[in-house]
Each structure stands twice: as structure tokens, then as C-alpha cells.
Amino acid sequence: MSYTTDNPTLNTGVVNTLFGRRQIFTSVDVITRDNVISVVNEALSCHILNLCEEDYLYWYRRGLQPILARKKEIRPEINNKIVVNNANQVVVFKNGYFLTKPAFYVSRKEDEEITQKVKELNEYLYTSGKQQADNEVVNWFHTVGVGALLIEPNRENRPTKPVNVYSLDPRSAFVVYSLRPGNRPVMGVNMVIVDDEKVKLDVFTEDAVYRISGGIRGRMVTNDPVVEATAISVDSVEPNPVGEIPIVEYTYNENRMGAFENAIPLMDAINLAESNRLDGVEQFIQSLCVAVNCDFEEGVNANTIRQAGMIKLKNYGENKADFKILSEQLDQSQTQVTIDDLYTQMLEKCAVPSSVRDGGSTSDNVGAVYLRSGWALADTAARNTEDLFKVANKRFDKVFLNILKRKTGLEIDIDDFELQFTRNEMSNLLVKTQGAMNMKELGFAPEIAFARSGLSNDPLNDIAISRKYIDAKWGANDNAEVIDENRTDLVADGLGGEVV
């Protein structure tokens, strides 16, 4: 679905409604050919509101921001429109920090058979295109708050690639959820605009795929946004070969807001301050002149004076001629203080680290700098997003495993593995290793020490690979002395008494 126009304009009508995308619900439990049109139309009325906001955020991140519509009443010829585009900076950082490396599956059990199946699962995950799709989904939900994936069996007869995974534009794809506890998905919808008046909708339920024709009114970008989309007729109904809803939604946070959405007023203020600063410089260079009691020769006007660069004056009587230049200059240092304050607040709201807060070179340790510079805040936000990503990915896993079982015969329980993110493996490495060594001295198992200290993102796999070295350092499990806590016949050293 394409939203590109040659000359996009700014939709200022949605600026005051950016509070996160609406989750779409229905009270209908079972979708049939008889009720699918009415349920889809009810969902579209909510989706169109999301679409307009998502489209605004998409173009805002691209640089189409309110400052470009700025108008000045005084000296309108000096009207700089500076787009700093901090929104793009936030999204680029979030994308790179959240997915430093592709996410992958790890085994949750120490079972060789399960571990081998997880390795096969990761191979299929790689060939399906999921890792590239994840990058696109993450980019979408950092921009507009929501991302979507489509999973389908590969139509080509390729044993090494039984599944295809694609990222969908959230402006065209959405999922409708049940109002019942648990809010299970009821249907997934992908909307394709054919022309200015026609739209095609693919509606996926667990049992069927409905091909629907409809109408649409309005444009994508913006002063004339999509104001209405209507499902009209069911063209065909096909069985769903997957047996699950193949569209999965991912969100950046529980409010379904973009990464920079709550800081848009600060970003607009920074754009305005930078534009006014440049206006001040330009107005100083192009200062106004005031002529008092001046009688110019015939044919001399402002343009003549500007070209000549000088003026000759003559006094008549008591009225002295005076020619002045208004040269008040903006205080750049105070302006920079204001911009730095706005910029710092913006980064804090977006959970993005900054060198502005470092305060130059200090003697603080790594942990203090990590907290003060905002890296701890960035990591906390990434972990929250990671939890939401894993919840949504469980729905992806159901579809993925269903297709693999039918096409390759691979069977593995969905609880035998989990999605793992690789992030910050080398940061604070000395602290992590010291923590692991301290837990070793206290008698913790290596799996616990590696996980609790943050030394490894996949403790079970890393320990399995390094088993002989771990046993050499940690000691083999067979040599560990097991003490029964219920025994009462242990004699305390040097006391000769019984320990009760």
C-alpha cells in the first residue's frame, strides 16, 4: 500500500490527538461470511483514525514538521524554517540499540534433543526473512507505535525455506481483538488501495480468508486524509491453510505510542528556537534604517541607498538630519541555554542517552556515568519493549511452528524455547565478571551466576559449549557435596556440640 505523493502537505488536524494508537476490539466471537462485512466496517472506523495519526508521525519523522508552515507578520521576508529533525535521531538510536544483533531462539531446558530442534528452528527463522522483517517492524513501531508481520507458507518447493515472513505497513494492516478476557485476536486485516476510490481487503481468521472489495474517500497525505473506508462485498472465501491468524501486531509500549511522540511539543519548540535564532542573525545583517529630517535628492530611494552603501546628508536650520541603523542583536548565549534545556528534556522523555548531561570530563566511575548520561534509562525502556515484543512474538511462534510442522515435520513445544535479544554484552564487562565470580564463591550454579550477572544472554547454550572449562573452574557436579538440611547429627567445629 503506497502513501507517497510528490508534494506531501502537513495535516495539522491530528496534532492534538497524538496519545497513542487505539487497539481495535469486537464483541463478535466468530467471524462468518454473513457478519464479516459489518465487523470489518466497524473496525475500519477506528483504524482510519489510527491511519491519519500514523501517517502524520511517519511524515514527521521524515522531516515534514509544523515549522515548515510557519508564517510571520512582521518582516515576513525574513522567515527561516529550520527542521532539526530530532525525531529521526530518536528512531535511529532506538532501532540500533533495541536490535543490536538479530533476535534468536534459545532452549529453556537442558535437553540435547530440544537444543538440536532449537538450532533447526533458528535456521528456519533465518531463511524465512524474519530477522529483516524484525528490523522493519521495530522501525515502524518506534515511528508510529505499532508494527505488523505477515507469516505465510512458502509457495516454492524449497525445503530450506518453508516459511516467508514479511513486514506490513501498519497504516494498511491491523488486528481486531476480542473483548473477552485475554483479548485473543479475532481477525487480521490487510488493506490495499487500488485507486482513489477502490480498496481491496484481505481478512484472515483462524478458519478462512475473506477477499473483500470496498470503497475509500480522501487522500493519504494529509490536508485531505482518508476520511472514510467501507467494505462493500465479499468476493471470495478460501480456507486458511495456516490454521492461525497470520498477521501479528507488535507495539513499542503499552500505550501504542511512537518513541518520539510524547516529545513532539519539545521538538517543535527546538525547531522554532533555531528558526528564530537564524532570523535574529539575518535581521541583524539586514538591519532597518531610520532617516530623521532627511531630504533626499529626487530619484533617491531605499534601493538606491542600499546599492550605493552610503548616504550624504545636509542640515537645514535647527532640524538636524540623522540617519540611524537599528542593530539590536539576539542574545545567542541565552538562546543556547534554552535550546539545551529543551533538548535535554526531549532526550529524557524519549529515553535516549546524551553527552550534554555528561558535564565534560569527570572522575566518576563507569556506573555513575552510565546512570547520569541516560544509558540506564535507555536500557530500561528497551527491556520494557523487549517484554512486549516477546508477548507478541508468542503469537508469531504459534503460526511459525504450525507451518513448520506441516511442511517439515519439525515438532517442538512452544514452551521449550524463548526469544533472546543480544544487547550490551561487552558493557561493564569487569563488573559482570566480578559479579559472576562472587556468586561462584557463594556456591551458585554457573547457570544462575551467568544469568544474574548479565554476563551471558544465553547461559545454557554458553555453558553447554564451555562445559569442560566450566567444570574445571566450577568443579564437576558429581564432586559436589550434598548436605541434608534436616540432619541434626552434624558437629560444629571446635564446639563438640550438636547443631540443632
Side-chain angles (χ1 to χ4, degrees), residues 467-484:
R467 173 53 66 187
K468 64 178 182 179
Y469 306 104
I470 294 291
D471 288 345
K473 290 292 183 181
W474 235 269
N477 292 334
D478 295 339
N479 298 328
E481 180 182 359
V482 179
I483 300 177
D484 187 353

Side-chain angles (χ1 to χ4, degrees), residues 176-201:
V176 180
Y177 301 87
S178 171
L179 281 171
R180 295 187 181 277
N183 304 128
R184 70 175 184 86
V186 175
M187 67 179 183
V189 181
N190 187 40
M191 182 171 63
V192 178
I193 294 179
V194 179
D195 54 37
D196 290 341
E197 296 180 353
K198 296 180 182 178
V199 64
K200 295 287 187 179
L201 300 106

Side-chain angles (χ1 to χ4, degrees), residues 41 377 476:
N41 281 331
L377 189 61

Side-chain angles (χ1 to χ4, degrees), residues 226-244:
V226 175
V227 293
E228 184 179 359
T230 307
I232 298 174
S233 61
V234 178
D235 297 336
S236 65
V237 182
E238 307 165 7
N240 185 351
V242 178
E244 299 284 348

Side-chain angles (χ1 to χ4, degrees), residues 2-11 51-66 68 83 85 87-88 140 143-144 171 220-222 260:
S2 176
Y3 293 89
T4 304
T5 62
D6 293 333
N7 295 297
T9 55
L10 190 67
N11 181 10
L51 185 154
C52 292
E53 296 172 2
E54 289 164 355
D55 201 53
Y56 178 86
L57 292 169
Y58 170 80
W59 285 105
Y60 191 97
R61 187 253 173 117
R62 291 276 298 269
L64 185 60
Q65 299 181 11
L68 296 177
V83 177
N85 206 356
N88 185 65
W140 273 116
T143 303
V144 305
R171 296 172 295 178
M220 297 299 104
V221 184
T222 64
F260 60 86

